[in-house]
Amino acid sequence: MNQNTEQLRTEPIARLLFKLSLPAMIWMLVTALYNIIDTIFVARGIGASAVAAIGIAFPIQMILMAVSSAVGLGGASISSRKLGKGDDAGAAVTFLNVLVLVGVFAAFAVSSAFFMLDSILTVFGATVAIMELSQQYLSVVLISSPFFMFTLAASAMVRAEGQAPYQMKVMLTTVVVNLVTTPLFIFTFGWGIYGAAWSTALAQVVGSILMLRFFFSKKRRTALDFQWRKFRLRFGELKEIMAIGSSSFIMMVSQSILFVCVNVMLGTYGGTEELAIFAIINKFMALVGMPIMGIVQGMQPIVGYNFGARQFERMRETIWTALRAGLAIAILIWLTLQLFPNPLMRLFTNDTALIAGGVTAIHVLFAASFLPSVQMLINGIYQSLGKARVAMFLSLSRQTLYTIPLVFILPSYLGVFGVWLAFPIADALTFLTAVGMAVWDRKLLFRPAEEEVKQATNL
């Protein structure tokens, strides 16, 4: 048994969850803060129109992120269980299959986006006033997207080995690169929105190089034994990877579709100001969700490994500890947003109308933002156990089943305010759905035993 995974079997759960979650949480928080700071640079250096333009381009980036995250999470779930059974060679083959999938999807997605760029931006809500800025930004970011997709997928595999600290170092490095080069390119070089785009591209390339170093350099840190001559594509495993990761893919794609719908409705009932407000609020939405995703990422290898090793008590303890920690953090962030919306908006602009509209949007949109943390954690549990269909349903519930229909319905009666109101209503419905599913599967999730696991799963 390799040293990377021994800790998943023996180390005390609270300390292990903290150890694996903290690097991911720090990275997620720093990334969220970086996105906020980066948007401040764009808003102060270029203007609100540039912020709105990047907001229009963001859903396309999210789709590419969705593909790579889905492949990485699916592969990590399989690898964690293989490592728990002592099948290190099988885990290595899984990782190589992950690389093949990412490469194929990256080539197809990026080339397709380039050919249909103008049409995509129009459908995604770009107005005439911001179309050119959106084109300039996205044309550069698409070039570097394959590097980013590889980094995301490889990060999940790093976590599957219990090496979350290395993932944190990689991501923090990319954030530092971005924070240094964005103001340099925008203010010093005067590159405008191209500066923001090239800064992002450079950071993505740096991240991919560091991930390659982890797995394939002479001083590699992975415990996986890559036997290249014996490698073959395993189409059954490729299918399983996509089945498990499909819930994350659908969740992120549905979020991308949600952002498109919001942009379209804001363009219909408002204008560039409302689009800029939502682009800013997007950054705070990440601030709410990313720390919880950090806990999910720390929890998943522990749950998956101990499920594979049939150490069900450790699995149960991990789940309860993660739920308590996630909800506490979500409530703390919710209080910050509700108490200090005005100072937060003033970071981006001095425009009184933009600030007033942003304060109202923050109060309403984040009114129940702590509730989806429970759904995210429960969804992560199902992913770890290979329960792809249930995880997919939960992933669909928030954006597709609730928020998107409400975004289209409520503005007809309440205008722009209806767009903001759709979010807290959907958050409450999502919470009730996730809790209902967890109660239904309470024996598997919270009181597992060998016989119950055999009956409740197909593993």
Side-chain angles (χ1 to χ4, degrees):
M1 185 179 299
N2 67 64
Q3 294 179 350
N4 291 347
T5 55
E6 175 63 19
Q7 60 181 335
L8 300 176
R9 180 186 294 270
T10 61
E11 194 164 333
I13 291 299
R15 184 169 67 188
L16 179 60
L17 182 62
F18 179 80
K19 179 180 178 180
L20 296 184
S21 296
L22 184 62
M25 287 175 61
I26 291 174
W27 164 57
M28 294 284 187
L29 279 171
V30 171
T31 301
L33 291 173
Y34 153 71
N35 286 328
I36 291 172
I37 295 170
D38 191 54
T39 304
I40 292 172
F41 288 145
V42 173
R44 297 286 184 178
I46 309 173
S49 294
V51 175
I54 293 175
I56 293 295
F58 184 63
I60 299 175
Q61 294 174 273
M62 284 197 65
I63 292 173
L64 300 179
M65 292 168 60
V67 173
S68 50
S69 295
V71 174
L73 287 172
S77 175
I78 296 171
S79 292
S80 292
R81 283 175 275 140
K82 285 183 176 180
L83 291 169
K85 297 174 182 177
D87 185 10
D88 292 7
V93 172
T94 298
F95 176 67
L96 296 177
N97 279 275
V98 164
L99 292 187
V100 171
L101 273 179
V102 169
V104 171
F105 284 130
F108 174 77
V110 175
S111 60
S112 299
F114 264 116
F115 281 117
M116 300 183 292
L117 186 59
D118 291 354
S119 299
I120 291 173
L121 288 174
T122 300
V123 172
F124 281 20
T127 61
V128 176
I130 62 174
M131 174 64 78
E132 185 176 356
L133 289 172
S134 295
Q135 291 171 334
Q136 292 172 351
Y137 178 81
L138 194 58
S139 62
V140 173
V141 172
L142 281 173
I143 296 172
S144 63
S145 290
F147 297 98
F148 185 48
M149 294 174 72
F150 165 74
T151 302
L152 284 178
S155 294
M157 302 302 295
V158 170
R159 293 193 304 272
E161 288 195 63
Q163 290 292 296
Y166 185 85
Q167 181 216 9
M168 180 192 71
K169 292 177 182 179
V170 172
M171 297 307 177
L172 287 180
T173 300
T174 63
V175 168
V176 170
V177 170
N178 222 328
L179 283 176
V180 171
T181 56
T182 298
L184 179 67
F185 292 168
I186 292 177
F187 296 103
T188 304
F189 294 172
W191 290 355
I193 200 166
Y194 278 121
W198 280 113
S199 175
T200 299
L202 178 61
Q204 291 172 351
V205 172
V206 170
S208 66
I209 291 173
L210 293 175
M211 280 297 174
L212 285 170
R213 180 184 178 187
F214 179 90
F215 287 104
F216 301 116
S217 71
K218 292 182 180 179
K219 297 182 179 180
R220 64 193 186 124
R221 301 183 59 173
T222 181
L224 301 180
D225 182 17
F226 295 106
Q227 300 179 22
W228 296 96
R229 294 181 179 179
K230 297 181 179 180
F231 170 69
R232 296 291 185 276
L233 282 178
R234 296 181 178 178
F235 292 100
E237 186 164 276
L238 293 177
K239 182 179 178 181
E240 186 181 0
I241 289 171
M242 293 309 302
I244 295 171
S246 61
S247 62
S248 291
F249 173 77
I250 290 173
M251 182 172 63
M252 293 186 71
V253 169
S254 62
Q255 189 172 8
S256 178
I257 294 172
L258 169 62
F259 289 162
V260 172
C261 295
V262 170
N263 285 331
V264 170
M265 298 306 285
L266 290 176
T268 301
Y269 291 93
T272 301
E273 181 177 294
E274 286 74 21
L275 289 171
I277 288 173
F278 185 63
I280 292 171
I281 286 179
N282 265 341
K283 312 307 177 184
F284 295 123
M285 292 173 72
L287 187 65
V288 172
M290 282 188 171
I292 310 304
M293 282 304 301
I295 294 179
V296 171
Q297 291 180 7
M299 171 193 71
Q300 285 182 319
I302 309 174
V303 171
Y305 182 95
N306 285 286
F307 181 80
R310 295 302 190 252
Q311 296 195 59
F312 301 122
E313 180 59 30
R314 284 177 62 81
M315 186 187 89
R316 184 191 68 81
E317 184 182 352
T318 302
I319 290 172
W320 278 115
T321 304
L323 285 169
R324 288 192 294 266
L327 189 57
I329 292 172
I331 291 174
L332 179 62
I333 296 173
W334 170 75
L335 285 172
T336 302
L337 291 169
Q338 292 299 318
L339 293 175
F340 307 107
N342 193 286
L344 291 173
M345 285 300 301
R346 289 188 180 278
L347 292 173
F348 299 88
T349 181
N350 294 324
D351 187 313
T352 54
L354 200 63
I355 292 172
V359 168
T360 298
I362 289 173
H363 274 311
V364 177
L365 190 147
F366 293 109
S369 60
F370 59 92
L371 293 178
S373 62
V374 176
Q375 181 261 350
M376 294 170 67
L377 288 159
I378 292 174
N379 186 63
I381 297 167
Y382 280 117
Q383 282 183 324
S384 299
L385 300 180
K387 301 273 284 183
R389 293 182 180 179
V390 180
M392 183 182 297
F393 174 78
L394 287 177
S395 298
L396 282 170
S397 64
R398 187 180 183 190
Q399 284 90 7
T400 306
L401 297 182
Y402 302 133
T403 315
I404 291 176
L406 289 169
V407 163
F408 278 112
I409 294 171
L410 296 181
S412 301
Y413 303 96
L414 301 172
V416 170
F417 182 82
V419 177
W420 310 140
L421 186 62
F423 285 85
I425 296 176
D427 287 345
L429 293 173
T430 298
F431 171 79
L432 293 174
T433 301
V435 170
M437 294 299 298
V439 170
W440 180 266
D441 279 333
R442 59 189 178 276
K443 289 186 178 181
L444 173 64
L445 271 58
F446 303 110
R447 294 196 301 273
E450 184 74 30
E451 306 79 27
E452 293 161 349
V453 170
K454 286 181 179 178
Q455 294 174 5
T457 70
N458 295 320
L459 298 179

